Amino acid sequence: MQVYDLPDARGYFGPYGGVFVAETLMQALEELKLAYEHFRFDPEFQAEYTNDLKHYVGRASPVYFAKRWSEQLGGARIYLKREDLNHTGAHKINNTIGQALLAKRMGKKRVIAETGAGQHGVASATVAARMGMECVVYMGSEDVKRQSPNVFRMKMLGATVVPVESGSKTLKDALNEAMRDWVTNVDSTFYIIGTVAGPHPYPMMVRDFQSVIGHEAMAQMPALTGRQPDAIIACVGGGSNAMGIFYPYLGLEEVRLIGVEAAGLGLASGKHAAPLNAGTPGVLHGNRTYLMQDENGQIIETHSISAGLDYPGVGPEHAWLKDSGRAEYVAVTDQEALEAFHDLCRFEGIIPALESSHALAYAAKIAPSMQRDQILLVNLSGRGDKDINTVASLSGISL
Amino acid sequence: MSRIATCFAQLKQQNKKALIPFFTAGDPAPALTVPMMHAMVAAGADIIELGVPFSDPMADGPTIQRSSERALANHVGLKDILAMVKQFRQDNSATPVVLMGYANPIEAMGYEKFATQAQAAGVDGVLTVDYPPEECTAFLECLTKHDLDPIFLLAPTSVNARVAAVARAARGFVYYVSLKGVTGSANLDLTAVQARLAELRQQISLPLGVGFGIRDGAMAKAMSQFADAVVIGSRIVQEIENASPETVVARVESLVKSIRTAMDS
Ligand SMILES: Cc1ncc(COP(=O)(O)O)c(C=O)c1O
């Protein structure tokens, strides 16, 4: 692959990306683009961001060798990039800190966010509390039910959580509602998008803020193992934790990059959330990308055990990495993810998020057929405390 | 001359302003869409804006969201809507029809196929909420080739450079969104709209329509003092939502008629 300098000035990664929004938001996005272009190379901004990541989030996050689990699987050695150890329990905070610092510099006093699993909502409520900003989080009413611990956390942090009743009542509908809020309050409000989707500059900006994950791993892996991993595996909802760990590695061709989508009840069942595996390109939420849609271009309902992966689109840069062949995209089912969830609990004493369990499940699938000197690095994007209700009810236990 | 241009030229001669009612095709029932269009024309509508339902109507408030959901529950897609326009044209060859919707149904059909079939059906203009001028160059070429007018939105937030981009790309008329918000909002500021339209006319020579938040005849009348066209959407959709299938066409007809009367008074 040649030197990689995407997106272009109009926000395109090949044919994907762009700014497909209603006129009312065009100027706000232009202002955001200019502000970000200015501050992304501003030493003072970078210093504040880096300082917050260190002292507030607790970065760098460690890389941990999952020795017992690797031995049990009997093949490649599996290392985990421990984003679950970040403050608030997931990678999402890397991005919300960056966007909130930008919001502050742009003079915005109110932030809004969409959330699926609630991790991005919690991370947004957290930075808003710390900076004294008003925070409103939109969340599909279906997700409000299945991620109730996170709803309560957001409220404790002072945010207003608005359950969204339209459409499929999940992440995509929360995004629609956040966009509607932004159109209405565009002067006062900064929209903190939680993944590498949305209109330009969001996919680029969120990727940049999350790429701290990959930059750390690049230094940590040689220190721990003497070399870079053979493959990096990350789950893909909108794709921010995957983009964050992939991005610094794009130029290292010998490292396989594997994104894992949610196959739900199986790709053949149609009940899944795997647009890169089973979707087609289209336009949604401000960008052109792979989507799950019917023949009339209507977005179809997705299914995943994990709220954070239950999204019919995917960041445009992943669409480009798929077409260009630099990254591979696979899918694992609810059942496979659940097994990996339980295995990590029991073999390593780590309760992973159900989202991250998809990446773990794919590692478990390929590790046994690999050599013992081969290395897999899995992005453990978050911890699973928020998922205990879901897992308990699947096991027939009421908490 | 296109149907839209002819329509505005005739209204100008009569010293009248265009009344543009909006409703979603297929709501409340696919069989009622064409009768509803004819009833609107009978009540004094000059142009009909026909909504193409989309699963994720990001720029719409709750009223039009629900109407999209009802239309989709009736399995109405872009192909069906083109067939409805074709049927409308069998009895009406004068009233312009503008399709209003979102990009993805058009992306799914393909630009060329859509433009060919829309022209054949008798569509006159296409307003795609999430295609700003800079993102739809290829689509615009297809529309132009098939004599379809691209209608664009301008907003209170549009700076001069954006107005210029719309002025270059638009044909038919330009639709000024009268407030920061989604369809059906209620914080319209008449004086601000008036001042803004005067500014826009320095850059735009096409007729200027105003919509979003116009809810009754008095408001339509006030707007029509300085706009060339008035678009009424959520209020009509609300009437559709509250009527029974038996009475819906008559109720919408009398609503449109009352607005027409107020505008012309
Ligand atoms: C722990 C965790 N991992 C992954 C995701 C999926 O998002 P993305 O694909 O943007 O990383 C989420 C989203 O809520 C999450 O909470």
Side-chain angles (χ1 to χ4, degrees):
Chain A
M1 199 155 181
Q2 296 169 344
V3 186
Y4 188 93
D5 60 355
L6 297 176
D8 68 14
R10 295 177 52 235
Y12 277 86
F13 304 88
Y16 304 109
V19 188
F20 293 87
V21 297
E23 176 61 29
T24 312
L25 293 178
M26 288 299 287
Q27 186 55 25
L29 287 163
E30 183 64 25
E31 281 163 19
L32 177 62
K33 189 177 86 177
L34 293 176
Y36 181 61
E37 270 165 14
H38 175 75
F39 288 114
R40 79 190 281 207
F41 301 115
D42 175 47
E44 199 194 311
F45 180 92
Q46 285 303 332
E48 190 175 353
Y49 177 61
T50 308
N51 190 66
D52 280 356
L53 289 185
K54 179 165 180 217
H55 296 286
Y56 190 67
V57 178
R59 300 204 74 93
S61 71
V63 170
Y64 164 75
F65 176 33
K67 187 157 178 278
R68 233 164 74 76
W69 191 44
S70 301
E71 278 166 5
Q72 163 72 20
L73 291 165
R77 285 181 288 156
I78 302 176
Y79 286 76
L80 308 176
K81 178 66 174 160
R82 299 290 308 274
E83 292 299 300
D84 61 316
L85 294 178
N86 293 340
H87 177 45
T88 72
H91 68 293
K92 297 285 180 186
I93 190 122
N94 303 327
N95 169 45
T96 58
I97 287 199
Q99 290 198 48
L101 290 178
L102 198 56
K104 188 175 82 177
R105 280 166 175 73
M106 290 176 75
K108 308 285 184 183
K109 303 240 168 348
R110 176 178 183 266
V111 296
I112 57 172
E114 84 294 340
T115 197
Q119 289 303 117
H120 175 60
V122 167
S124 298
T126 297
V127 295
R130 182 168 169 251
M131 293 195 178
M133 292 170 170
E134 181 192 350
C135 179
V136 177
V137 180
Y138 292 93
M139 187 169 191
S141 59
E142 204 50 49
D143 294 337
V144 167
K145 266 185 258 158
R146 60 179 162 170
Q147 309 278 229
S148 57
N150 271 345
V151 176
F152 189 57
R153 287 168 82 198
M154 286 183 264
K155 289 182 177 164
M156 283 192 298
L157 292 161
T160 305
V161 180
V162 181
V164 178
E165 299 288 349
S166 56
S168 57
K169 304 174 175 57
T170 58
L171 180 54
K172 84 171 172 76
D173 310 284
L175 223 148
N176 291 339
E177 207 53 36
M179 285 273 186
R180 292 180 188 120
D181 179 315
W182 201 28
V183 165
T184 309
N185 302 294
V186 59
D187 297 328
S188 67
T189 298
F190 188 104
Y191 180 11
I192 305 184
I193 295 188
T195 190
V196 287
H200 181 63
Y202 284 101
M204 167 177 82
M205 181 169 71
V206 177
R207 171 199 74 193
D208 293 349
F209 288 138
Q210 290 294 2
S211 65
V212 63
I213 305 173
H215 284 301
E216 286 174 2
M218 269 212 146
Q220 290 164 319
M221 290 309 291
L224 270 174
T225 69
R227 63 185 183 86
Q228 296 298 348
D230 294 281
I232 296 178
I233 305 176
C235 67
V236 177
S240 67
N241 86 87
M243 231 26 259
I245 197 165
F246 288 177
Y247 185 60
Y249 280 94
L250 289 177
L252 276 188
E253 294 276 5
E254 62 278 18
V255 179
R256 277 173 72 190
L257 303 176
I258 306 172
V260 186
E261 295 192 308
L265 303 180
L267 291 183
S269 73
K271 293 193 184 315
H272 58 80
L276 290 168
N277 280 276
T280 51
V283 169
L284 180 70
H285 293 153
N287 68 94
R288 182 176 284 118
T289 187
Y290 280 85
L291 300 174
M292 291 186 45
Q293 54 180 325
D294 68 15
E295 70 284 359
N296 285 319
Q298 306 297 345
I299 306 307
I300 52 184
E301 286 197 12
T302 51
H303 168 85
S304 171
I305 192 177
S306 90
L309 303 185
D310 210 347
Y311 181 64
V314 62
E317 191 162 11
H318 286 294
W320 167 244
L321 292 174
K322 171 191 158 77
D323 284 11
S324 69
R326 176 61 188 96
E328 309 154 48
Y329 294 90
V330 297
V332 313
T333 62
D334 287 352
Q335 196 50 44
E336 293 167 323
L338 257 180
E339 280 162 26
F341 174 96
H342 287 300
D343 284 347
L344 205 73
C345 289
R346 284 196 293 256
F347 286 105
E348 299 294 347
I350 297 172
I351 303 175
L354 282 174
E355 290 79 14
S356 323
S357 299
H358 286 71
L360 294 166
Y362 194 72
K365 225 180 219 186
I366 62 172
S369 60
M370 294 173 74
Q371 304 299 319
R372 275 169 200 270
D373 61 354
Q374 287 188 295
I375 295 173
L376 294 175
L377 175 61
V378 176
N379 197 11
L380 188 58
S381 56
R383 66 177 187 227
D385 309 44
K386 69 185 177 60
D387 294 312
I388 54 175
N389 289 337
T390 305
V391 175
S393 74
L394 284 170
S395 321
I397 300 164
S398 73
L399 294 180
Chain B
M1 204 160 35
S2 77
R3 264 194 215 102
I4 295 177
T6 309
C7 170
F8 278 104
Q10 285 173 351
L11 286 168
K12 193 162 193 172
Q13 272 184 350
Q14 300 162 15
N15 216 2
K16 284 171 64 179
K17 300 300 174 70
L19 171 57
I20 311 184
F22 164 96
F23 76 109
T24 306
D27 175 34
L32 292 178
T33 298
V34 176
M36 191 90 77
M37 294 168 80
H38 287 307
M40 286 174 165
V41 175
D46 301 295
I47 297 174
I48 289 175
E49 207 168 279
L50 198 54
V52 178
F54 182 48
S55 50
D56 294 82
M58 275 168 296
D60 285 299
T63 306
I64 295 182
Q65 285 174 43
R66 285 195 300 272
S67 100
S68 269
E69 285 178 10
R70 287 191 297 271
L72 290 175
N74 292 332
H75 306 290
V76 171
L78 197 44
K79 278 197 299 279
D80 310 294
I81 295 169
L82 294 177
M84 291 170 185
V85 175
K86 195 169 199 158
Q87 196 191 332
F88 172 74
R89 282 274 169 260
Q90 291 173 359
D91 303 303
N92 182 322
S93 56
T95 308
V97 174
V98 172
L99 298 186
M100 176 164 181
Y102 293 80
N104 204 51
I106 294 175
E107 296 261 324
M109 185 179 263
Y111 300 158
E112 183 60 34
K113 186 172 166 198
F114 167 74
T116 311
Q117 297 191 2
Q119 182 186 29
V123 171
D124 302 285
V126 182
L127 196 175
T128 312
V129 177
D130 48 354
Y131 274 154
E134 42 278 81
E135 295 295 2
C136 61
T137 320
F139 182 55
L140 283 183
E141 279 171 25
C142 275
L143 292 186
T144 310
K145 195 167 104 192
H146 292 281
D147 290 327
L148 294 161
D149 289 341
I151 315 291
F152 286 99
L153 299 172
L154 279 173
T157 52
S158 306
V159 295
N160 276 343
R162 299 216 43 77
V163 177
V166 165
R168 277 193 300 276
R171 294 206 295 150
F173 66 97
V174 170
Y175 185 150
Y176 181 65
V177 175
S178 52
L179 47 82
K180 291 173 199 150
V182 293
T183 52
S185 311
N187 48 347
L188 230 171
D189 177 347
L190 211 58
T191 350
V193 175
Q194 176 173 17
R196 194 63 209 278
L197 288 190
E199 276 171 30
L200 292 179
R201 289 200 196 276
Q202 297 177 356
Q203 281 180 272
I204 291 172
S205 52
L206 290 173
L208 290 177
V210 173
F212 281 43
I214 303 175
R215 301 195 55 81
D216 56 27
M219 193 62 135
K221 163 109 184 135
M223 279 293 175
S224 68
Q225 303 302 307
F226 32 85
D228 303 302
V230 174
V231 185
I232 311 219
S234 295
R235 178 64 189 86
I236 288 174
V237 170
Q238 191 187 335
E239 197 72 12
I240 292 174
E241 184 163 50
N242 293 334
S244 68
E246 296 74 35
T247 59
V248 67
V249 174
R251 276 181 65 170
V252 168
E253 182 167 351
S254 84
L255 175 65
V256 173
K257 197 173 274 166
S258 72
I259 296 167
R260 175 87 261 171
T261 309
M263 277 173 70
D264 293 349
S265 67

